[in-house]
Amino acid sequence: MPILGPRRHWFEINDQPWFPPFLRSCVQSCLTLAWTFRIPYFQPSSPAALVASTLHRVLGGPQNVTKYSYVDFCAGAGGPTPEVERIMNARLRAEGHEPVMFALTDLHPHIEAWTAAAKKGDRLTFCTGSVDAANAPKGLLGDEPDSKVFRLFNLAFHHFDDELAGRILRNSVDTAGGFGFVSPFLSWSGLPLNPMPTSDYNPPPTSFLYSSHPTSCLHLPIYITHLLTAENSIFELQSRSPASLLTITLLGPLLFALTPFYFSHSPLHFLFTYIIPIIPFVVVFDGYVSCMRTRTPEEVLSLLEKNGGLPEGEGWVVRSGSEMHTWPMGYMSWVIAVKGGRE
């Protein structure tokens, strides 16, 4: 798929401090809908379901999926994570395994939206305080230094300029994990970069994920199995390609069609979709900019190397790939880094 030139970190309206918070909330709810809605015939599953199945497959099935607790570091209004939690845990229960915990965090917490989502999922929690992905509180990684947490960046990593994205990668490495992009092992074909070692480790009893004030986790404790590190993933629904720009264009008409069915409770959605169409304009405009901001896997690797890289000899495996989420031209791209391999 052709790439439209170098990455451009142009501004997105929804990121600007002058953009009214009530409109920002409306736009983010539309982005959440884009993750969870399924268009019959054109989408075999929702993008959120695709995230769940990709994690399940790439991590190596339930025996590895259940090693982690999953923390969304840029959750916005919730994004796909509540739906991913529901789908993944339904599958784990059907396969006879214990469900896993998910947590929503953000620099600007959306308490009302997260509270509503947490009420629908018995393994979904959130943190009420501001969480900076570039300086993650130690409590989010568990009280024990060997807690294993899987960091999620869903439709989020493109928001960070190179300086901030580099600090986030560095923080991931410095807090016992991160994006393990080590040049000698890289292959962007979606295949494992080096043999994933087998572990005979037997995890001890679970412990609570806890973060003291001001970042206190509510609704349910997050259980963390004691392993060796925090792993990470990036999921994006767009790329710097003509096909992605065309797919983004279709979001405008789609919002006009779906608003009465999904936002009937919100007069603001009706006002700013049909009377003053700010919401569809911002969604499409920011979508175009997001395409031009999105990094290729090679660019993520280069960014990590510029920020110190990853210590060698720790068994890191990096995978990347893309999955079609909307026929014929909508693709979800992903990069997943795992330390210590899978069983």
Side-chain angles (χ1 to χ4, degrees):
M1 196 174 298
I3 298 297
L4 296 174
R7 180 182 184 273
R8 304 291 187 182
H9 198 79
W10 294 326
F11 81 95
E12 294 188 31
I13 296 173
N14 204 46
D15 289 346
Q16 304 308 307
W18 48 260
F19 193 59
F22 68 90
L23 284 175
R24 181 178 295 111
S25 178
C26 290
V27 170
Q28 289 179 329
S29 65
C30 291
L31 297 177
T32 296
L33 179 63
W35 277 108
T36 58
F37 178 72
R38 173 183 171 270
I39 305 174
Y41 304 110
F42 291 92
Q43 292 179 311
S45 64
S46 69
L50 198 56
V51 170
S53 62
T54 299
L55 284 172
H56 194 278
R57 184 184 76 253
V58 175
L59 291 180
Q63 71 275 17
N64 291 304
V65 169
T66 52
K67 292 177 180 178
Y68 302 97
S69 290
Y70 299 81
V71 180
D72 187 339
F73 273 81
C74 304
T81 300
E83 185 72 0
V84 172
E85 181 273 323
R86 184 188 67 81
I87 294 170
M88 184 177 289
N89 281 330
R91 180 170 182 175
L92 288 174
R93 290 185 178 102
E95 294 171 341
H97 295 272
E98 288 295 315
V100 294
M101 292 300 303
F102 284 77
L104 303 173
T105 74
D106 202 280
L107 191 63
H108 305 286
H110 294 256
I111 304 303
E112 183 177 354
W114 295 354
T115 299
K119 290 179 179 178
K120 299 177 182 178
D122 64 350
R123 290 295 182 271
L124 181 67
T125 187
F126 59 88
C127 292
T128 58
S130 177
V131 174
D132 183 355
N135 187 25
K138 291 183 178 179
L140 288 176
L141 302 176
D143 293 331
E144 298 293 332
D146 57 354
S147 297
K148 193 162 188 178
V149 173
F150 198 103
R151 295 187 179 195
L152 296 170
F153 293 93
N154 299 318
L155 201 62
F157 202 68
H158 69 273
H159 285 282
F160 312 129
D161 61 25
D162 284 349
E163 190 275 333
L164 179 56
R167 286 197 288 116
I168 289 172
L169 293 175
R170 187 71 257 157
N171 179 256
S172 297
V173 173
D174 291 342
T175 53
F179 295 94
F181 300 125
V182 183
S183 298
F185 303 107
L186 288 176
S187 165
W188 298 111
S189 63
L191 297 175
L193 305 175
N194 60 323
M196 303 188 82
T198 300
S199 171
D200 57 359
Y201 180 79
N202 294 315
T206 58
S207 68
F208 293 110
L209 172 68
Y210 171 77
S211 179
S212 59
H213 182 80
T215 311
S216 55
C217 292
L218 298 183
H219 183 61
L220 283 174
I222 302 178
Y223 297 98
I224 306 175
T225 56
H226 291 259
L227 288 168
L228 297 178
T229 185
E231 277 69 28
N232 301 262
S233 65
I234 302 172
F235 290 96
E236 300 279 11
L237 295 182
Q238 74 290 321
S239 64
R240 300 196 314 266
S241 68
S244 186
L245 290 173
L246 182 56
T247 302
I248 294 297
T249 303
L250 299 177
L251 285 178
L254 189 64
L255 286 178
F256 280 104
L258 295 180
T259 292
F261 301 98
Y262 288 89
F263 303 112
S264 59
H265 62 285
S266 173
L268 287 175
H269 271 277
F270 277 83
L271 174 62
F272 291 105
T273 297
Y274 299 111
I275 309 303
I276 309 173
I278 293 176
I279 294 174
F281 172 78
V282 171
V283 168
V284 174
F285 178 88
D286 283 5
Y288 291 151
V289 176
S290 294
C291 290
M292 299 310 297
R293 282 181 167 193
T294 301
R295 297 174 177 87
T296 65
E298 292 86 352
E299 289 166 340
V300 176
L301 163 64
S302 176
L303 192 59
L304 178 69
E305 290 179 333
K306 290 177 182 177
N307 287 271
L310 192 75
E312 296 186 27
E314 295 185 355
W316 280 88
V317 174
V318 180
R319 292 182 169 191
S320 70
S322 63
E323 317 287 338
M324 180 179 286
H325 63 78
T326 303
W327 185 87
M329 53 195 170
Y331 284 85
M332 177 188 75
S333 61
W334 53 268
V335 177
I336 295 176
V338 179
K339 182 180 179 181
R342 73 186 186 199
E343 293 182 0

